[in-house]
Amino acid sequence: MKRNTGLAALLIAFGALILLNKLGIHLGPFIGSVMEYLIPIAMVGLGYIGIQNGNKFGWIIAGIGGVILLGKLAGWIIILLAIGLIGYGVSMLTRRTV
């Protein structure tokens, strides 16, 4: 068995899931929510591989995937920012000044 056989099987499975979804055969909300994040992550990963191989097109794919992923994760980023601001504010209040 070759080294990339598992990756090839995974790519075939994800491609089949995307194709089934586009043909109207939905496999539930979990698969759809996973695919929302999987496509941009795969774009960033494939762009990284392209960059490592010296392909300038890899930068474009990784950039587009990064922007899409940033849009998908914006809600979580805002939540983490709010938690950080609260923590910083509490630390400022509890800090003793001499």
Side-chain angles (χ1 to χ4, degrees):
M1 217 184 248
K2 293 183 181 178
R3 184 177 75 151
N4 294 329
T5 305
L7 178 62
L10 191 66
L11 290 174
I12 291 169
F14 286 134
L17 286 174
I18 293 169
L19 186 61
L20 286 174
N21 189 20
K22 293 299 178 187
L23 291 175
I25 303 170
H26 303 288
L27 299 173
F30 178 72
I31 298 296
S33 64
V34 169
M35 294 306 277
E36 285 181 10
Y37 294 100
L38 189 66
I39 300 299
I41 290 171
M43 288 177 70
V44 170
L46 290 173
Y48 177 75
I49 291 171
I51 292 167
Q52 292 296 321
N53 290 333
N55 191 352
K56 292 183 181 181
F57 188 66
W59 284 103
I60 296 171
I61 297 295
I64 292 171
V67 169
I68 294 170
L69 192 59
L70 184 65
K72 299 278 184 194
L73 296 175
W76 289 103
I77 293 170
I78 295 298
I79 290 171
L80 291 174
L81 178 67
I83 291 170
L85 288 173
I86 291 169
Y88 184 67
V90 169
S91 73
M92 285 178 66
L93 287 175
T94 58
R95 188 179 315 150
R96 297 183 187 249
T97 57
V98 178

